[in-house]
Amino acid sequence: MEMKKPLSRRHFLKYLGASAASLAAAYSGLSSLTQKANASASNVNAYDELPETFNPTFHTADDTDQLLLASGFSYTVLAAYGDTINKSGDTLGFNNSYTSFFPIPGSTTEALLWVNHESAQYSWMLDRSMTIAWEQQKQLLNEQGASILHIKKDAFGQWKLVSDSTLARRISGLTPIELTGPVRGSQSVNGATLVQGTFANRGGSQTLWNTQLTCENRFETTCRDAGLALSHYGWIVEVDPFDHRKLPVKHTALGRFHHGSAAMTLNSDQHVVVYMGEDSPEGFVYKYVSAEQWSDDSNTDTAQLLSKGSLYAADLIKGRWIELTIELVRKQLNSLTYQVPTVLNKSKDVLLKQFQTQNDVLTSVSEAALILGATPCDRPAELTVRPSNKQVYIAFTQNDSRGNLHGQIIKLKESGNGETFAFETFITGGRQSGFSSPGALAFDKNDNLWVSSDISPDRLNTGAWSEFKNNGLYLIHPSGTERKTKQYASSPTEAALSGLSFTDHQATVFVAVNHPGASGAGTTSPTSQWQHRFGKKDPRSAVVIITRSLL
């Protein structure tokens, strides 16, 4: 028996004050039958359907080692770290941090789910006095990157992992990847045209042509442990999830830095635009604009759209985009009145030797942005584009060294030609908004903004962050501070909830539960046991499916 109609948002989110019996019913599959019966109801605003208090038992955020949801919802685990994902025996990687839903063309019951893997951690990584063996390097590289999962609806209309699929596969630190764009084959990457793997994958974006962009973030430690060239990492990688024969590519035209997230859209002239956030305490916001126009045509050379274009960094003080070119960098460095920022810890002469060509700018983007006057921000790791008006929403997670303890979300509204912009604060973190340290962002079809908090494990439940308890997932009304922020979920101990993605009709929500028990990982004293295997204590990151419970 298959679900003939999509579950409406009204019945997905309705009556959140359900009894405890609903949870048992959800596991029996009865909730699916109720969802089918209610599938024809009209669409409503999710924000209006959430309760004023998060959970009738706790009334607020919680600090227990559980994944807690707003009343009326239940979750199932789609896949956890180490679970088999395909017929070849590949397993889900470590620390999933982002998901992306791809319906299989022509099917309403099957899909692919992209899952990023941000890091790896083992006991041997805690002791650097010993030489790292090849088997350890292989394990380190294999468990980062991404997983492409094949999922399918069962007889009750619930999404399940196809663990013996021939469509599912892994992209890892061992996968051959081609370089594209200006830096390909240049001295800046030691002449490389093909590099080994991708890792430290945090955020991403679907492309207009139905492929996946994945962001390489904090790559340095893995490069050191695996003996890999630093310049080969820190890029944005494109993968076609439907074609295993097509080699993944790293787009050097989009620049090399700690990529936290990416969001693709079109400007008014039909050029592809990719906004990018840098996951650094004083990182920058970037924009790439393709040289060629996009056309929804099978003859469009999509490879060129991300290989030839211009890269910009945001100057929030003057409200302008600064193009990052070698001419402007060298002109600034040659100016008699220019003072090199002390944070660079380099002289003008050293920087002039470093920046000789445009390829040098693209491989050292953060330094070029700082030299040209872009604005350092308080960890602008996550951003997204609001579909209704194409404004860019950016999470400044926090930077306590500059007194920004709880972060904020800002929005950029560009001028007609896209060269300048106005920005304003959409909402600030803290007691007044009910959350701290905004991380991953996603808009739903009703223009509500979903926000996951990203308080670091060492600060959770302490000091200024104690009242927020564990990290959570929140729903913010389009008006921002005019309406109360509502909480949707609370994470297990030391975990963060990220990678929010919806099915086409938003009847199902996929969420990545990232790094539970982070501070105890790889030790004999785990601080979380969420999703541990039978007979084991180690926690496991996982992708969960959230649906509405039986009323």
Side-chain angles (χ1 to χ4, degrees), residues 42-109:
S42 59
N43 186 36
V44 298
N45 193 313
Y47 178 89
D48 296 333
E49 297 299 313
L50 280 174
E52 292 298 314
T53 56
F54 166 56
N55 188 295
T57 301
F58 299 100
H59 295 289
T60 182
D62 196 72
D63 58 3
T64 58
D65 190 23
Q66 302 177 49
L67 174 58
L68 299 174
L69 305 178
S71 297
F73 292 94
S74 62
Y75 76 89
T76 57
V77 175
L78 178 67
Y81 165 61
D83 287 350
T84 300
I85 66 168
N86 60 20
K87 192 173 183 178
S88 301
D90 291 330
T91 58
L92 190 74
F94 199 73
N95 275 358
N96 37 229
S97 60
Y98 167 88
T99 71
S100 185
F101 182 78
F102 289 88
I104 291 179
S107 174
T108 58
T109 60

Side-chain angles (χ1 to χ4, degrees), residues 89-317:
D90 291 330
T91 58
L92 190 74
F94 199 73
N95 275 358
N96 37 229
S97 60
Y98 167 88
T99 71
S100 185
F101 182 78
F102 289 88
I104 291 179
S107 174
T108 58
T109 60
E110 294 187 73
L112 299 179
L113 188 72
W114 176 278
V115 182
N116 271 358
H117 302 298
E118 187 174 4
S119 64
Q121 192 165 12
Y122 304 97
S123 55
W124 59 263
M125 297 177 68
L126 304 178
D127 182 4
R128 301 291 179 176
S129 63
M130 303 294 290
T131 302
I132 301 173
W134 162 239
E135 285 302 316
Q136 293 172 324
Q137 292 177 335
K138 184 178 178 180
Q139 184 182 41
L140 171 68
L141 295 170
N142 185 58
E143 295 194 350
Q144 298 183 70
S147 296
I148 301 171
L149 307 182
H150 179 196
I151 58 177
K152 187 177 182 178
K153 288 183 179 178
D154 63 13
F156 297 102
Q158 300 297 295
W159 291 102
K160 303 291 184 182
L161 177 70
V162 183
S163 60
D164 60 350
S165 172
T166 58
L167 301 179
R169 57 191 166 108
R170 286 293 316 279
I171 307 294
S172 74
L174 299 169
T175 304
I177 300 181
E178 185 177 0
L179 295 180
T180 72
V183 184
R184 172 186 166 90
S186 72
Q187 184 178 351
S188 298
V189 289
N190 305 316
T193 59
L194 190 72
V195 299
Q196 177 185 310
T198 181
F199 43 80
N201 303 77
R202 178 177 170 128
S205 175
Q206 286 192 13
T207 67
L208 301 170
W209 44 93
N210 211 35
T211 62
Q212 181 66 49
L213 300 182
T214 179
C215 300
E216 295 180 335
N217 187 14
R218 299 181 181 274
F219 53 88
E220 290 89 349
T221 299
T222 298
C223 284
R224 177 189 62 193
D225 290 341
L228 298 171
L230 287 170
S231 62
H232 293 179
Y233 305 93
W235 306 100
I236 281 188
V237 184
E238 182 181 4
V239 180
D240 186 340
F242 295 99
D243 190 352
H244 69 276
R245 298 165 299 180
K246 187 179 293 185
L247 207 63
V249 296
K250 296 193 181 189
H251 291 297
T252 65
L254 276 64
R256 174 179 168 270
F257 52 91
H258 290 148
H259 285 274
S261 61
M264 179 179 285
T265 187
L266 287 175
N267 66 14
S268 58
D269 295 325
Q270 299 301 296
H271 291 269
V272 172
V273 178
V274 182
Y275 297 98
M276 296 167 284
E278 183 172 14
D279 187 10
S280 296
E282 296 184 9
F284 301 94
V285 177
Y286 301 96
K287 178 176 78 167
Y288 167 86
V289 182
S290 65
E292 299 182 11
Q293 293 175 309
W294 154 254
S295 173
D296 190 5
D297 188 311
S298 59
N299 294 322
T300 300
D301 185 0
T302 57
Q304 292 299 311
L305 292 173
L306 297 180
S307 297
K308 295 180 180 179
S310 301
L311 185 63
Y312 303 84
D315 176 355
L316 298 180
I317 296 173

